[in-house]
């Protein structure tokens, strides 16, 4: 299994918008759904599978006649490493986070980390190499955040981890439960409205810093990639 593989990136155009607010965002892109042979999005719907952000930006640029590229292949390698050599993966993730913290400090920015860029793994369940602590406990002084379609994740005790529930075709019942539980919900619109489900809608395309959003709002997004 390939080691010393860089896992985190700052190349995503949307997360780069956070620098204007003083944050340097690092994102982990794994292969979504079961593209790697392993499922990374347990609550995916048919629509979100088809319109996945895996196809947004350079990830969706293919040479004529091809259906993959270097970015897609790298995501598959990272995903296989996670499932087949978990200790090595978590060790590399710790190294990348430490490097990210140092990189942000040099730029006078606060580092923040999104581990589910194109996946929906419950990171609170996975311990780091040689430890009984997960990644949020190992780095309890830095901010992590994600979008998720998985209800009921036991993350309330991690004050440095923020989750926004993700609406999609066919998960209306879960969206209603998320709203009832007080979660912010991200939803994709053709035209972002002022209000949805009785909640104010904010423009979530201005940046990716969902942990800064006020409570009880809808994070309105415009369709990207194949969506």
């Amino acid at each position: 299994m390939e080691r010393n593989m860089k896992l985190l990136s700052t190349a995503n155009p949307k997360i780069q918008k956070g620098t204007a607010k003083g944050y340097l965002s690092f994102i982990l892109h794994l292969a979504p759904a079961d593209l790697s042979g392993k499922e990374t999005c347990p609550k995916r719907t048919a629509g979100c599978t088809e319109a996945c952000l895996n196809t947004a930006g350079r990830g969706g640029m293919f040479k004529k006649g091809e259906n993959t590229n270097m970015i897609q292949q790298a995501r598959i390698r990272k995903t296989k490493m996670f499932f087949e050599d978990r200790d090595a993966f978590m060790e590399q993730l710790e190294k990348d986070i430490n490097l990210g913290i140092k990189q942000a400090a040099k730029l006078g920015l606060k580092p923040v980390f999104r581990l589910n860029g194109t996946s929906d793994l419950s990171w609170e369940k996975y311990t780091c190499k040689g430890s009984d602590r997960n990644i949020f406990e190992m780095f309890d002084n830095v901010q992590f955040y994600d979008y998720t379609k998985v209800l009921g994740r036991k993350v309330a005790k991690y004050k440095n981890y923020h989750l926004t529930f993700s609406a999609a075709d066919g998960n209306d019942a879960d969206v209603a439960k998320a709203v009832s539980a007080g979660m912010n919900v991200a939803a994709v619109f053709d035209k972002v409205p002022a209000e949805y489900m009785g909640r104010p809608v904010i423009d979530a395309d201005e940046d990716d810093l969902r942990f800064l959003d006020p409570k009880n709002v809808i994070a309105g997004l415009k369709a990207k990639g194949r969506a």
Side-chain angles (χ1 to χ4, degrees), residues 54-74:
N54 188 48
T55 63
R58 291 185 300 166
M61 296 179 183
F62 306 108
K63 292 181 180 179
K64 187 175 182 179
E66 296 183 359
N67 59 5
T68 188
N69 56 35
M70 291 179 63
I71 292 174
Q72 298 295 334
Q73 291 165 5

Side-chain angles (χ1 to χ4, degrees), residues 22 24 26 98-111:
L24 183 61
F26 296 85
N98 277 317
L99 286 172
I101 292 170
K102 293 177 181 177
Q103 183 179 343
K106 288 180 180 179
L107 296 173
L109 300 171
K110 296 179 182 178

Side-chain angles (χ1 to χ4, degrees), residues 134-148:
N134 61 37
I135 201 70
F136 311 130
E137 293 169 315
M138 293 293 287
F139 295 93
D140 60 1
N141 61 333
V142 296
Q143 180 70 54
F144 294 85
Y145 70 102
D146 276 318
Y147 299 82
T148 187

Side-chain angles (χ1 to χ4, degrees), residues 49 105 125 158 175 205:
T49 301
K125 295 181 178 180
Y158 306 116
V175 168
D205 281 321

